Amino acid sequence: MPETWDAITQQEEQDLTNLMSEYDFAIKDAERFVDMLQQSLTDLDVANVETVMASEKGAVQLMNMLDKAVDEISKIDDRLGLYEKKLSTVADAVKIMSRKDSLIQIETANVHKLTDALENLLGVQDFSDEDVQLLQNSDLTNDNDRAACIQVANLLTQAVGVQLQPGMEKMAAIKQRRELLEQTQRSFSLRCRNFLSSKFVFHAEGYGEHFELGGNELPRHGEKITRPLLPFSPLCQWLKVSSPGYFKEVCQAYVSQIRPIYAKEIHGFFESARLGVTKGAIAMPERRAAGSVSTLNTIRRDRQSVQTQAMSGVVDNDPFSLKNSTREFRTRSDKIFDRVLGQISPIVREEQLFCVNFFYSADEETIAGENASESTTGTENFRSSGLKHILAELLEPLDSEIKALIGHVKNVDSFTVLYLFVRMNEHTIAVQNYGSFLKDLFAGNLILLKREVDGYVSEVCKDINDYRPSRNKRVGILPFVNYFAEFSDEAEMIFDKSSRAVDLHRAYKTLVGAIFRGIEQCAAGMANDPKTPHSMIRLENYHQMQHIMGIKKLTALDAEKQEARKSYNAAKAEYEREYCGFPFERLHLFFERVDELRKRLAKDEDVQFQSDCSIIELRRLVREHPPKEVKRGLESLYKKIEKHLSENSSLMQVIWHDIQTLVIGEYERMTKLIEICYPNSNIHLEFTVDNLLSFFTETAHPSH
């Protein structure tokens, strides 16, 4: 194994350098230097031994002192053991004292809690005999007595509702007191129920002797029913908390007394509205008292009389005319419907606010009359199904009467449902913040009217599909095309600025689609009719539809307008091709043969050498078509077109202009063919372009 060497440190290197510098011969005589070092080491060992021998006495003294120190340490250790034994006894005593103190604190806390619970229980259930007598014998119609009763009743409710500690209910005194308080609460609850029910009967009977029937406005109940009852609302609200069963009976008692009043008023009001729809404004001869049979009989007689007059004065029902009833009737119906809905909203809101204040809250200022806030928070939060149920039972006839009024208007004139639909939509939007009952009432009838509008459009589409024009009779503009002009004109006025314009656009598309199909069906059905060619039916009616959609700027029907234009152009081309020949028909056919020969022959001039297209034949045909003959042909063509078209149709000018263009174009074509195929023949047509223009003008002039 190789021998390892440790490198000397810098300090060791410095010391070695200093030592060798003292002996400058060390480098030259190493043995001498080693001997000197060995001698120095021996001298140091001798000095150390001498020093140790000299300090022996001190070492003995040191050993003695160490022995004494060990003895003292033993004494201290014994004393520490004694102290430890005494301290262990003290620790046990301290633990015992600590446990006793904790138990004392728990016991003290329990005593305090028990004392507080007993004091609270006795304080809450400390219900004096005077309080019991007050609840039993006070005058609830007196404001002061009633306020005192409410205060005591609230204390009674707190006493009955207090939560007892487990086991306390077994204490005889507490059990007896509890039974007394519950009996007192039941007794006062029964008294409140009977008192409130009697007040409902009193005010209902008092109001029933004065309410007016058959008027144009729904009466308000504020002065005679709701305001007199409102001071008693704390009793009802106390019942709601303390006796839910009696509270429900109070609600039922209110509904049973007030609902008949609403039923009579609503029925009379809508009877008046239905009469107004047919007759106009109702001038009641006098206002009779409730229960007046003569008043109801008068309304019924007036309604029967008006219906009889209406039936006798109405023209035969035309499914494609809005003139079965006048626009005045429709606007009157719209105004009456608007007035009816305007009367319903405040009545429902007034009753709603009363129910909220009387049955469900204690804020008496929220029903301050007609100027009450329209966005009362209590009214907005219809979270109680009970409150909505009360309104539904009280105002149950409203929904059926609104539907009956809609049905009455529809039976007279089904188109008027468009007016009612837009009007109902406006009122539905207006009552969005008036509570769920009114919102649901209007929204439900809005859905009904939307279905009525869709049903009306579907019925019209069915009538269009079933319509067939009479044969052997000039058709002209189909009645459902004229109907669309009337429909769109009035519908645009009805839906102007309405948020339901999208429904109108949907109806437009449905109707226009049905009209296009109807035009095609009618044209197909008249294919062989001598009076009106099928292409003329399509031509006139597509032109009219294009005109209607364009002049009324029905932007929702842009695609349908393009379709009508395409169908119109196709029908016009077909009609002109089939029925609008040339006033020089034989010349036209001659030059058609010339064109065919040009395609087969090498040279155009060779045409004149063919027997059926010879110069002689051409001269004969030219002589047969003098200006008078051409003019006579134009007049005959004009009369034929005039017979096909409906009276005063603007299409005559359009078709006549197209024929003029075609005739002049044919004239120019024939002149050119004469120059090409019959050169140097000196053949010319006997009529000119100026002659033709003059003939067209003279022929069309009598129609202007």
Side-chain angles (χ1 to χ4, degrees):
M1 183 176 181
E3 191 174 352
T4 59
W5 299 91
D6 294 331
I8 62 175
T9 64
Q10 186 175 0
Q11 182 63 40
E12 290 173 342
E13 182 181 358
Q14 183 66 34
D15 293 339
L16 182 58
T17 302
N18 293 335
L19 179 63
M20 294 179 67
S21 62
E22 293 179 3
Y23 304 97
D24 51 356
F25 61 88
I27 298 174
K28 301 177 182 180
D29 192 355
E31 292 183 0
R32 181 183 172 189
F33 178 66
V34 170
D35 291 341
M36 289 182 66
L37 291 178
Q38 187 65 40
Q39 184 61 43
S40 296
L41 182 60
T42 301
D43 293 340
L44 288 174
D45 288 338
V46 172
N48 286 336
V49 171
E50 290 177 353
T51 302
V52 170
M53 294 299 294
S55 60
E56 181 179 358
K57 184 178 179 178
V60 173
Q61 291 179 350
L62 178 61
M63 294 295 295
N64 292 334
M65 290 178 65
L66 290 174
D67 291 339
K68 290 181 180 181
V70 171
D71 293 339
E72 291 295 328
I73 288 172
S74 297
K75 292 179 181 179
I76 291 173
D77 184 60
D78 293 339
R79 185 173 295 178
L80 288 174
L82 179 63
Y83 289 162
E84 184 178 1
K85 188 183 293 184
K86 290 182 178 181
L87 285 175
S88 64
T89 305
V90 173
D92 294 338
V94 169
K95 290 180 181 179
I96 293 172
M97 291 178 65
S98 176
R99 284 197 297 268
K100 287 184 178 181
D101 183 64
S102 176
L103 293 174
I104 291 172
Q105 290 180 0
I106 293 172
E107 182 179 2
T108 302
N110 290 337
V111 169
H112 285 308
K113 289 181 180 179
L114 180 60
T115 302
D116 293 340
L118 290 174
E119 288 178 353
N120 291 334
L121 179 63
L122 294 176
V124 172
Q125 297 200 346
D126 185 16
F127 206 70
S128 65
D129 294 338
E130 289 79 6
D131 293 338
V132 175
Q133 291 297 322
L134 178 64
L135 294 179
Q136 293 177 349
N137 303 319
S138 60
D139 182 9
L140 295 179
T141 59
N142 182 276
D143 293 341
N144 294 330
D145 286 2
R146 188 170 59 254
C149 281
I150 293 299
Q151 184 177 2
V152 172
N154 289 331
L155 294 176
L156 175 61
T157 302
Q158 294 178 9
V160 173
V162 69
Q163 294 295 324
L164 299 176
Q165 296 293 333
M168 293 184 67
E169 69 277 1
K170 297 180 180 180
M171 297 174 64
I174 292 178
K175 184 176 181 180
Q176 182 180 2
R177 189 65 176 175
R178 187 87 170 197
E179 291 176 353
L180 175 62
L181 294 177
E182 290 176 352
Q183 178 59 35
T184 303
Q185 185 185 51
R186 286 193 298 270
S187 176
F188 185 64
S189 297
L190 179 61
R191 187 182 179 211
C192 287
R193 185 204 67 178
N194 294 336
F195 173 77
L196 292 173
S197 299
S198 66
K199 296 300 292 183
F200 298 154
V201 174
F202 173 77
H203 287 289
E205 291 178 350
Y207 178 84
E209 295 176 358
H210 302 94
F211 84 85
E212 300 166 347
L213 182 64
N216 290 326
E217 294 183 0
L218 276 172
R220 301 293 183 90
H221 295 173
E223 292 294 334
K224 297 179 181 179
I225 296 181
T226 55
R227 286 193 183 88
L229 286 175
L230 198 57
F232 306 107
S233 62
L235 295 175
C236 186
Q237 291 154 24
W238 178 81
L239 274 180
K240 181 176 181 290
V241 175
S242 302
S243 302
Y246 285 148
F247 171 76
K248 185 176 180 180
E249 292 180 13
V250 168
C251 294
Q252 293 173 347
Y254 176 76
V255 170
S256 65
Q257 293 299 321
I258 306 302
R259 180 170 55 190
I261 297 176
Y262 272 124
K264 292 179 181 178
E265 291 176 343
I266 291 171
H267 181 69
F269 175 67
F270 276 89
E271 284 277 352
S272 175
R274 283 189 286 272
L275 184 61
V277 165
T278 312
K279 185 178 180 180
I282 304 170
M284 299 301 294
E286 59 178 322
R287 300 211 169 174
R288 297 177 173 85
S292 175
V293 178
S294 60
T295 301
L296 287 174
N297 290 338
T298 299
I299 293 176
R300 293 191 182 100
R301 285 197 304 271
D302 289 346
R303 184 178 61 177
Q304 292 170 0
S305 174
V306 169
Q307 289 176 346
T308 302
Q309 295 171 9
M311 291 299 294
S312 62
V314 171
V315 297
D316 293 338
N317 186 38
D318 181 358
F320 301 125
S321 176
L322 299 182
K323 296 178 181 178
N324 296 323
S325 62
T326 63
R327 182 175 292 190
E328 186 274 332
F329 165 80
R330 293 191 283 270
T331 54
R332 183 175 72 245
S333 299
D334 178 42
K335 289 179 181 178
I336 290 175
F337 194 64
D338 183 34
R339 175 172 57 81
V340 167
L341 298 181
Q343 286 289 309
I344 290 173
S345 296
I347 293 300
V348 173
R349 295 209 306 273
E350 183 183 62
E351 186 62 45
Q352 185 171 279
L353 286 170
F354 170 75
C355 290
V356 168
N357 291 315
F358 190 83
F359 295 104
Y360 289 90
S361 74
D363 184 5
E364 297 185 9
E365 295 181 358
T366 58
I367 180 168
E370 295 183 359
N371 296 324
S373 172
E374 293 184 346
S375 58
T376 306
T377 303
T379 305
E380 301 295 339
N381 299 325
F382 257 75
R383 297 173 182 170
S384 172
S385 59
L387 182 56
K388 186 177 180 180
H389 181 70
I390 290 176
L391 291 174
E393 288 192 340
L394 280 173
L395 304 169
E396 181 182 7
L398 277 177
D399 187 55
S400 59
E401 290 288 355
I402 292 175
K403 287 179 169 60
L405 179 59
I406 293 171
H408 178 75
V409 173
K410 177 188 172 186
N411 289 337
V412 178
D413 177 46
S414 56
F415 178 79
T416 311
V417 296
L418 274 74
Y419 283 87
L420 306 190
F421 172 64
V422 172
R423 190 65 62 191
M424 178 60 80
N425 179 66
E426 292 175 359
H427 283 270
T428 303
I429 294 174
V431 301
Q432 287 300 305
N433 297 324
Y434 292 157
S436 63
F437 173 78
L438 188 59
K439 180 175 65 177
D440 292 348
L441 174 67
F442 282 4
N445 283 282
L446 178 64
I447 294 172
L448 170 66
L449 281 167
K450 177 62 172 65
R451 291 173 180 166
E452 293 290 354
V453 171
D454 293 342
Y456 171 76
V457 173
S458 298
E459 190 66 26
V460 173
C461 292
K462 181 178 180 298
D463 292 335
I464 293 173
N465 184 64
D466 295 340
Y467 178 80
R468 295 295 181 271
S470 301
R471 298 187 68 84
N472 298 319
K473 184 179 179 182
R474 187 164 55 184
V475 176
I477 303 298
L478 294 168
F480 49 79
V481 174
N482 287 328
Y483 157 80
F484 182 73
E486 296 180 25
F487 177 89
S488 58
D489 181 59
E490 195 156 346
E492 286 296 309
M493 180 197 71
I494 297 170
F495 283 83
D496 184 35
K497 299 179 181 178
S498 173
S499 60
R500 303 307 295 253
V502 63
D503 296 286
L504 176 62
H505 298 161
R506 193 178 297 115
Y508 277 158
K509 288 182 176 294
T510 303
L511 282 174
V512 171
I515 289 171
F516 286 174
R517 291 191 297 273
I519 293 173
E520 294 297 332
Q521 288 178 357
C522 291
M526 302 292 287
N528 299 317
D529 187 78
K531 289 290 184 180
T532 308
H534 65 92
S535 55
M536 178 55 73
I537 296 175
R538 297 175 65 246
L539 171 62
E540 280 197 287
N541 287 280
Y542 279 120
H543 175 265
Q544 184 68 6
M545 286 298 297
Q546 181 184 344
H547 173 72
I548 293 170
M549 290 185 284
I551 197 172
K552 297 184 184 302
K553 298 180 180 179
L554 304 179
T555 55
L557 298 177
D558 286 342
E560 287 76 7
K561 193 188 309 180
Q562 295 295 330
E563 182 180 351
R565 182 180 293 112
K566 185 185 299 183
S567 299
Y568 160 73
N569 290 330
K572 183 159 68 73
E574 181 182 359
Y575 177 78
E576 291 172 353
R577 183 174 60 254
E578 293 181 359
Y579 294 94
C580 298
F582 295 98
F584 35 78
E585 188 65 22
R586 293 192 301 276
L587 273 174
H588 167 70
L589 295 176
F590 176 84
F591 282 102
E592 286 291 316
R593 292 195 299 273
V594 169
D595 259 341
E596 293 177 3
L597 289 172
R598 289 178 63 204
K599 296 176 182 177
R600 297 202 303 265
L601 298 174
K603 297 180 180 180
D604 292 339
E605 294 85 351
D606 294 342
V607 171
Q608 60 185 319
F609 303 114
Q610 304 299 317
S611 59
D612 56 345
C613 294
S614 65
I615 294 177
I616 297 173
E617 181 67 16
L618 175 58
R619 290 184 188 278
R620 183 181 67 81
L621 289 175
V622 169
R623 286 196 301 269
E624 290 178 357
H625 290 84
K628 288 183 179 181
E629 183 65 24
V630 173
K631 183 178 181 181
R632 190 179 299 114
L634 284 176
E635 291 174 347
S636 175
L637 179 59
Y638 187 88
K639 290 177 181 179
K640 182 172 66 173
I641 298 172
E642 200 170 34
K643 287 180 180 180
H644 291 165
L645 282 170
S646 56
E647 295 181 3
N648 301 320
S649 174
S650 61
L651 276 176
M652 188 68 217
Q653 298 178 6
V654 177
I655 296 174
W656 198 238
H657 181 270
D658 287 348
I659 293 174
Q660 176 181 305
T661 304
L662 289 173
V663 168
I664 293 175
E666 181 64 12
Y667 173 86
E668 293 174 348
R669 185 176 79 95
M670 292 188 301
T671 303
K672 184 177 180 181
L673 286 174
I674 291 173
E675 294 176 356
I676 295 174
C677 299
Y678 303 93
N680 304 317
S681 63
N682 198 26
I683 299 176
H684 301 284
L685 298 174
E686 295 186 6
F687 53 91
T688 64
V689 172
D690 291 338
N691 293 143
L692 291 175
L693 293 175
S694 176
F695 296 159
F696 273 101
T697 303
E698 292 173 1
T699 304
H701 181 70
S703 64
H704 295 307

